[in-house]
Amino acid sequence: MKNIKRYPTKKIYVGDVAIGGDSPISVQSMTYSKTSDIETTVEQIKALHFAGADIVRVAVPDIEAANALKEIKKQSSLPIVADIHFNHKLALIAAEVVDCIRINPGNIGNKQRVQEVVKACKQRNLPIRIGVNCGSLEKEFENRYGQTAKGMVESADYNIKYLEDLGFDDIKVSLKASDVQRTVEAYRMLRPLNHYPFHLGVTEAGTLFHSTIKSSIALGSLLLDGIGDTLRVSITGELEKEVEVGRAILKDAGLTKEGLNIISCPTCGRIEADLVSAVAQVEERTKHIKTPLNVSVMGCVVNALGEAKAADVAIAYGKGTGLIIKKGETIAKLPTDKLLDRFLEEVEVEAKKTKIKLLKF
């Protein structure tokens, strides 16, 4: 698979997580609890940590939430980004304890307030995320350009230069719309204009089904262009799913090499087994494997032999029997009821062998 050449960007740090430069693309999510509810917020952060998130963002809508951040930070296993709208004083409180401040230039207030936030972030070497949303542009940009990609880019460019004029350049940028086309257009338009890392996402993307589709198209397109340094998949639903979908997008775009790439054929009249159940079992029983492997689960022999040539381990069902194939070579022919367990054993063996090779390398 061809390596994707990423746009060169400045490297910043959110806590101990590097963003930009040559660092891996990180995956973020956001708690939905009331941040003032310390116990529930910490529980959600732990869940995100175990799901594989690198960074967590928490909403800071009021003074109670801001005051809770110190204790949440003590108990958090992830770097924390404080999400601030409207009230810059909350950003000043948050800056004393968190790892990054996110502000929306369209609603944070006048220049004096932004200057105060910048000063507070400078004191602790905190980065600022300039979060531009299509639905909340500054009036001057919305009046001139409407809620368009051009308006988003002009807003971001203006605010980047404003922070630079204050001597601040620990910046990352997001340009989010609720639809794919404006989101992709805005990121592509802004990318050549600066060297700061980009936070990718489609905002208000909807339920798991709709968000997965929107995010896969938008984020996938940008990532394949070499654009993007960290991302969040916004889903109305379970937090862990945001991380799961984000990780899957990175893996299927060829930007991470972790876990199994499961190749399975579409169901058709040729299949000789309960393929849907077999693939579900493979997914469930191999989700602990982090070693990069290609595995193939095929319902008949028509496509199986061709796909098996590129697979580390493959299974091909037939009438009452089936084949286990490793790297293009058939190693076993077994009755259907014994096939899946043997296949999974071989996957485990190959994962261990590959892991040892990678460690030696």
Side-chain angles (χ1 to χ4, degrees), residues 10-70:
K10 174 184 173 69
K11 184 184 289 187
I12 65 170
Y13 286 86
V14 176
D16 60 357
V17 176
I19 297 175
D22 59 355
S23 53
I25 298 171
S26 54
V27 176
Q28 308 191 22
S29 185
M30 186 173 183
T31 57
Y32 59 78
S33 59
K34 298 294 183 185
T35 305
S36 55
D37 181 348
I38 295 172
E39 183 179 352
T40 303
T41 302
V42 170
E43 285 178 0
Q44 290 183 6
I45 291 172
K46 288 178 179 177
L48 287 169
H49 171 80
F50 287 115
D54 300 300
I55 298 169
V56 65
R57 181 157 47 109
V58 299
V60 187
D62 49 42
I63 191 67
E64 290 79 14
N67 288 336
L69 291 172
K70 185 174 183 180

Side-chain angles (χ1 to χ4, degrees), residues 293-349:
L293 289 179
N294 290 316
V295 300
S296 175
V297 183
M298 308 302 285
C300 77
V301 296
V302 173
N303 295 319
L305 297 179
E307 290 292 348
K309 291 177 183 177
D312 294 294
V313 188
I315 182 173
Y317 286 96
K319 290 184 178 180
T321 63
L323 305 177
I324 305 293
I325 305 164
K326 292 185 76 170
K327 300 185 185 299
E329 181 182 346
T330 300
I331 63 166
K333 182 176 181 180
L334 298 168
T336 299
D337 61 351
K338 298 184 182 300
L339 204 58
L340 188 59
D341 285 341
R342 175 64 184 277
F343 169 74
L344 291 166
E345 288 174 11
E346 295 297 336
V347 171
E348 293 282 0
V349 168

Side-chain angles (χ1 to χ4, degrees), residues 20-184:
D22 59 355
S23 53
I25 298 171
S26 54
V27 176
Q28 308 191 22
S29 185
M30 186 173 183
T31 57
Y32 59 78
S33 59
K34 298 294 183 185
T35 305
S36 55
D37 181 348
I38 295 172
E39 183 179 352
T40 303
T41 302
V42 170
E43 285 178 0
Q44 290 183 6
I45 291 172
K46 288 178 179 177
L48 287 169
H49 171 80
F50 287 115
D54 300 300
I55 298 169
V56 65
R57 181 157 47 109
V58 299
V60 187
D62 49 42
I63 191 67
E64 290 79 14
N67 288 336
L69 291 172
K70 185 174 183 180
E71 184 58 33
I72 291 170
K73 176 59 182 172
K74 284 182 184 177
Q75 299 185 47
S76 175
S77 52
L78 295 173
I80 294 177
V81 178
D83 191 80
I84 311 291
H85 291 269
F86 305 110
N87 191 340
H88 81 292
K89 291 182 179 179
L90 301 178
L92 300 181
I93 297 170
E96 296 177 3
V97 294
V98 299
D99 302 289
C100 178
I101 298 292
R102 184 266 185 171
I103 57 174
N104 184 335
N107 62 35
I108 198 63
N110 59 36
K111 291 183 179 180
Q112 178 61 37
R113 293 175 179 177
V114 177
Q115 287 175 337
E116 291 180 37
V117 175
V118 166
K119 182 179 178 181
C121 290
K122 274 186 175 181
Q123 288 174 345
R124 290 196 58 238
N125 295 316
L126 299 184
I128 292 176
R129 173 182 150 201
I130 295 174
V132 177
N133 276 4
C134 196
S136 56
L137 293 173
E138 298 97 323
K139 286 183 180 179
E140 61 181 293
F141 297 114
E142 184 167 350
N143 290 341
R144 193 180 309 169
Y145 302 105
Q147 293 186 354
T148 63
K150 178 66 173 174
M152 295 163 68
V153 169
E154 291 294 326
S155 171
D157 193 46
Y158 170 83
N159 285 284
I160 287 168
K161 288 172 180 169
Y162 182 63
L163 292 187
E164 289 176 336
D165 288 343
L166 294 173
F168 191 88
D169 64 356
D170 263 351
I171 299 168
K172 59 176 176 167
V173 187
S174 64
L175 299 159
K176 296 186 178 182
S178 58
D179 63 280
V180 169
Q181 289 189 356
R182 281 184 298 179
T183 298
V184 172

Side-chain angles (χ1 to χ4, degrees), residues 345-360:
E345 288 174 11
E346 295 297 336
V347 171
E348 293 282 0
V349 168
E350 195 62 31
K352 288 176 183 176
K353 284 169 55 179
T354 303
K355 184 178 181 180
I356 291 169
K357 289 178 183 177
L358 291 173
L359 290 172
K360 287 182 178 179

